[in-house]
Each structure stands twice: as C-alpha cells, then as structure tokens.
Amino acid sequence: MSERDAIELDVTLALAEAIGSGGITGRQLEGCAGPMAAAQAALEGRRAAGDLAWMDLPGQDVSGLVRFAEERHGRFDNLLVLGIGGSALGTIALGGALLHPYHNLLSKEERGGTPRLFVLDNVDPDQTRGLFDLLDWERTLTNVVSKSGGTAETAAAYLLVRDILEGHVAGKAGPAAIRLPVAEHMVFTTDPEKGVLREIAEEEGIPAFPISAGVGGRFSVLSPVGVLPAALCGMDVAALLAGADAMDRRIRESPGLRNPAGLFAGVQYLEYTAFTRRLSVMMPYSARLRFVADWFKQLWAESLGKARDRRGSDVHVGPTPVEALGATDQHSQVQLYVEGPDDKVVTFLRVGSFDREATMPQLHAEKPALAYLGGHGLGELLNAEQRATAWALARRGRPSIRVDLPRVDAHALGQLLYMLEVATGLMGELLDINAFDQPGVELGKEATYGLMGRTGYEALAREVAGLRKGA
Ligand code: PA5
C-alpha cells in the first residue's frame, strides 16, 4: 500500500503539549506502550487459536459470493436487507459510504444495473408497511441476515416478506397477489450449522451464506453479512478487503502504539481511565461516513459496556459512544463539547479529496459576508470547519483525535473499519473485559421472546410482568 492510499491517525490534539494539563503526557503514553503490546499479543494469540475469526476476514475467499452476485446482476431492481444490530449496521455504513449519495433515486442505467438498497432494521409498522407497499416484489431480492437466526425483529420481517412472496398479500402490483419462488427471491446469511434460518435453507434449497464461529454480529461487516449486499450493489468488494488486509499487515508489522489501532485504543483508554472522560464522540466531516459513526457506536458500546471483568468482579465499565456529523452538528452539539463538561474525546474523520467538488461562484463582490467564499470549494470549507472545531476544542483544553482518509473509497473504508474493530478488541483487553459477548443484549432478546409467547421463555415473561406491576 502506498502512503498515498493509507489512512492516518493524528493524536497531536490529545497531547498535553498541544492542549495543556488536560492532555496526555509523553510519560502516560510511554506507560501505555507495554500494556498495548501485551494486549495485541493476547489478541493475536486468540486469533491463532481460532477464537477470533473476524480478524481473518480480510483474507477470506469470496469467490462464491461474488459469483452469486454476478449471476443476479440486472435481475433485481431492489435489494432488501432484513437484519438488526451487527446484522444491519455494517451494510448501512458500506452503502452510505460507497454508493452514490442518492443511489436509490438513480435510474437503473445510472445505477449500472445494480439494485437499490433498502435495509430494514426495525419493526416499526409504518416504516415496514410503507416500504413493502413500494416494492415491486418480482424485482426484489431479500437478504435475511441473522447469525442466531432467531432474533425477533428479523424473524418478524422475514415472516412478512415470505407471506408476500407466497402470494397471501398483495404487493405493489395491486389487489391480485402473485406467488413468487422463495428460493429465487431470498438469500440468507446465517450460522453455518445452527438456527432456524439454516434449517429452512436446507429444507427448501434457499441459498445461504455462512457467518462463521468467531465472527460476532458487530465484527461481521467484512463477512458475507456486509460483503454480500456490497457485491450485489456493485461495491468494490476486492478493494474493501484489500484495504482491511493492508491494515491488518500494518498492525502486525508495527505492534503496540506504533500502529493506528493501537494508538487509537491507547488514547481512548487513557482518556477513559486517567482523565475520566467517559464519552467518545465520532464526528465524520463527510456525509458519506455518517453511518460509519453509527456502526462504530454499536461496536464500541456493545463490546466495551460490561458489568464484570474477566475475573468475575463487578466493574460496570465502558465508554459511551456518541455520533455527530460535521459540519451539521457544529450548530447543534459542538457548543456542549467546547464548553460543557470536560468528559469527552472527539474523533474526527476527515477526507483528503472528495469525489465531487462544488466551487462557490464569485458573486456579490461588494458584500464581504458572501464575497470571501468565492472561488473556494465546499470540500475546502468542510475541512476548514473541521480544523476550526478541533482548534476550538483544543483552546479549551479538550482533546481530539483525527483520522485522515485520502478519499472515501472501498480501500480506505476497509482500512478504517478493520482498524476500529482491532482497536475495540485492544480496548477490551486493556479494560480486562470480554469484548466479544453481549449478555445485556441477550437478556433483552429473551425477555422479548417471553413477552411475545415463545415457548421456553415463560418464566422470563412472568418476571417482566411482575416488574411492571410492582413498578
Ligand atoms: O453485535 C451483535 O452481536 C448484535 O448486535 C447482533 O448482531 C444483533 O443482536 C442481531 O443478532 P442476529 O444476527 O443473531 O440476528
């Protein structure tokens, strides 16, 4: 990877030299180097033992999946992804960053024959029925994504779509409902062996791609969970994985704080522990990266928010991730960041070169409030705003980190996503918690099963009902 293509991390504005006593000292950073090297060795050890298969995803063979996508090229106008949490957020982030900003409004020709992308990650009836009423089901491929296969929200959406395909409900075509072959209009992404989706796939010959053991939901964006929709929508899957692979090599070749994942995790760890800054804001200055911040929010929160450490002691630990968008949120949250409680570290995502540019015309030469913009590009303005916000924070002694992407493309995105995943694993090691489970999420899922009458969850349903009465 040439330097021109590499994403870079700049932590200068988190250091004491730049922001004063609220900044990290050289000594603190040095003190973190040893534990970080040990954390990295521990992760690599678990990877070698086969526990962390998500770390090997950059090198996976995706030829079958790419062939599947190629065979369907031009056949469908819509790709509907049903999933939630880790089974949806990666796809939303990829689509937001790598497709045309208004992909779904383009004509089929303008989309290069690829389908529109819809990701349904909620069970809101208005949203669901509103979308279903719009889709031409003959021209829609539905990708049901669930590692467990049983998540209530995804199961519910699957049942509704299946009902339409089986001809029980009229779709866009009007009152005359039509029956469509499920195996041609659906594809699953699920556990390779277990779960109800795998069972149905095997019974009915529905194509199904695997989410291997060791690939948890929030670490699955580079697995078929994200890569299949990406390939179907014409994103450059090879470049995405090559970017992740380049980051993997970079991390391994420069251990500890000398690679971006280690440095990012090290600074975040010091902010959390030494400065008790409990909030971690991600603020892209690129509308295309907006959903990367959303994806990161889940990755950071679900991985690091834990009740117990690995020895079983109560710790109730975890930074709270917050998302913001530059420049939009300069006129919303930034006042709080600059002058409110000093409890945050902000990570800016900044883009070197935008795909499109809009240069402001030289109008109103007589009006200084407008004339100064003439001849400058919007990208230049956006990046100036990022610098201005970082400066305003620094002036108040508030820390920030900057990730520079040369441009928003699949290669840079692969680097960024993989870097953040490894940083999350490293942060988990430093906090001495298991970053790869989610007992709090499971508890809520199981209570939902109970409340909705699923067999085997009656006791939990009674417990929830009791709480309601007592409250
Ligand atoms: O990261 C996670 O593990 C969760 O957010 C899951 O992805 C989410 O709960 C969906 O689970 P599943 O893929 O089993 O439907």
Side-chain angles (χ1 to χ4, degrees):
M1 177 173 56
S2 76
E3 275 183 29
R4 208 172 46 86
D5 293 330
I7 69 168
E8 295 300 343
L9 188 72
D10 187 335
V11 301
T12 312
L13 293 185
L15 303 181
E17 286 156 35
I19 64 168
S21 59
I24 297 169
T25 63
R27 187 181 288 245
Q28 282 174 313
L29 214 49
E30 271 165 38
C32 193
M36 186 57 75
Q40 191 174 338
L43 271 195
E44 286 297 341
R46 291 182 66 185
R47 176 185 192 167
D51 283 353
L52 303 179
W54 61 267
M55 294 185 83
D56 292 322
L57 290 171
Q60 82 200 277
D61 175 10
V62 289
S63 54
L65 178 156
V66 168
R67 205 173 326 113
F68 178 88
E70 281 168 1
E71 284 164 6
R72 279 148 191 82
H73 182 79
R75 162 80 184 81
F76 295 103
D77 295 333
N78 307 305
L79 173 63
L80 172 61
V81 176
L82 308 179
I84 196 164
S87 290
L89 290 163
T91 299
I92 296 172
L94 292 176
L98 301 180
L99 297 177
H100 183 287
Y102 297 96
H103 176 81
N104 283 0
L105 296 182
L106 301 180
S107 68
K108 187 170 183 179
E109 290 66 40
E110 288 166 330
R111 298 195 310 269
T114 64
R116 303 181 195 93
L117 174 62
F118 299 95
V119 182
L120 195 60
D121 66 344
N122 206 340
V123 283
D124 180 287
D126 283 330
Q127 181 193 31
T128 303
R129 186 51 73 194
L131 174 61
F132 287 3
D133 287 347
L134 282 181
L135 295 176
D136 174 351
W137 290 95
E138 272 184 281
R139 308 279 309 162
T140 300
L141 177 65
T142 300
N143 182 198
V144 188
V145 187
S146 175
K147 175 151 176 149
S148 61
T151 304
E153 296 88 342
T154 310
Y158 159 74
L159 291 174
L160 289 167
V161 171
R162 180 143 193 158
D163 208 28
I164 293 172
L165 296 182
E166 290 188 353
H168 300 137
V169 180
K172 194 190 172 199
I178 43 165
R179 199 181 166 86
L180 296 164
V182 175
E184 280 176 32
H185 286 264
M186 273 195 173
V187 49
F188 296 162
T189 309
T190 191
D191 189 279
E193 286 158 20
K194 304 188 294 273
V196 70
L197 287 181
R198 182 57 61 184
E199 244 172 71
I200 296 169
E202 280 166 14
E203 283 160 12
E204 301 187 28
I206 296 174
F209 288 91
I211 313 171
S212 318
V215 180
R218 57 197 175 273
F219 291 87
S220 69
V221 59
L222 299 172
S223 79
V225 169
V227 173
L228 177 64
L232 285 161
C233 289
M235 297 177 225
D236 190 345
V237 163
L240 180 76
L241 297 177
D245 186 54
M247 181 54 73
D248 182 24
R249 275 183 283 118
R250 195 169 159 193
I251 292 169
R252 285 200 274 181
E253 281 161 15
S254 312
L257 298 174
R258 290 187 293 119
N259 69 73
L263 187 56
F264 182 82
V267 170
Q268 293 280 349
Y269 179 71
L270 288 171
E271 294 295 352
Y272 185 81
T273 52
F275 294 91
T276 53
R277 292 189 174 112
R278 304 298 202 208
L279 304 177
S280 179
V281 179
M282 180 168 280
M283 188 168 188
Y285 273 72
S286 156
R288 293 171 65 187
L289 296 177
R290 168 178 219 152
F291 298 112
V292 169
D294 214 17
W295 168 85
F296 175 71
K297 191 173 65 176
Q298 188 223 8
L299 179 69
W300 207 240
E302 216 169 279
S303 303
L304 303 177
K306 296 291 151 71
R308 297 204 173 78
D309 67 14
R310 285 186 289 204
R311 278 160 286 122
S313 307
D314 280 351
V315 286
H316 298 286
V317 77
T320 300
V322 176
E323 58 183 307
L325 177 67
T328 308
D329 283 312
Q330 277 181 223
H331 304 270
S332 161
Q333 302 185 49
V334 164
Q335 169 63 31
L336 173 73
Y337 300 171
V338 174
E339 295 200 344
D342 185 5
D343 56 0
K344 305 166 195 68
V345 53
V346 179
T347 300
F348 296 109
L349 305 182
R350 194 172 76 164
V351 176
S353 156
F354 293 85
D355 282 3
R356 301 164 187 83
E357 190 46 286
T359 304
M360 283 153 284
Q362 316 245 352
L363 294 175
H364 290 298
E366 73 295 355
K367 297 203 186 304
L370 295 172
Y372 75 100
L373 291 171
H376 294 287
L378 284 188
E380 190 187 346
L381 174 60
L382 194 56
N383 281 342
E385 300 216 33
Q386 185 279 319
R387 281 178 64 193
T389 305
W391 173 82
L393 286 167
R395 196 157 176 252
R396 299 284 175 138
R398 311 284 164 103
S400 67
I401 300 172
R402 200 181 74 225
V403 183
D404 283 310
L405 286 84
R407 63 199 78 81
V408 180
D409 64 10
H411 194 264
L413 199 67
Q415 293 176 65
L416 177 65
L417 298 176
Y418 194 78
M419 187 270 269
L420 293 171
E421 287 181 339
V422 175
T424 305
L426 292 171
M427 185 80 171
E429 291 294 319
L430 292 178
L431 292 172
D432 193 22
I433 46 108
N434 180 357
F436 306 108
D437 66 358
Q438 55 286 324
V441 177
E442 303 303 340
L443 189 62
K445 279 189 179 185
E446 288 171 12
T448 303
Y449 296 151
L451 290 174
M452 295 299 287
R454 181 168 165 182
T455 312
Y457 296 87
E458 296 82 356
L460 212 46
R462 281 194 296 276
E463 217 183 297
V464 182
L467 186 68
R468 255 208 320 248
K469 274 190 212 113

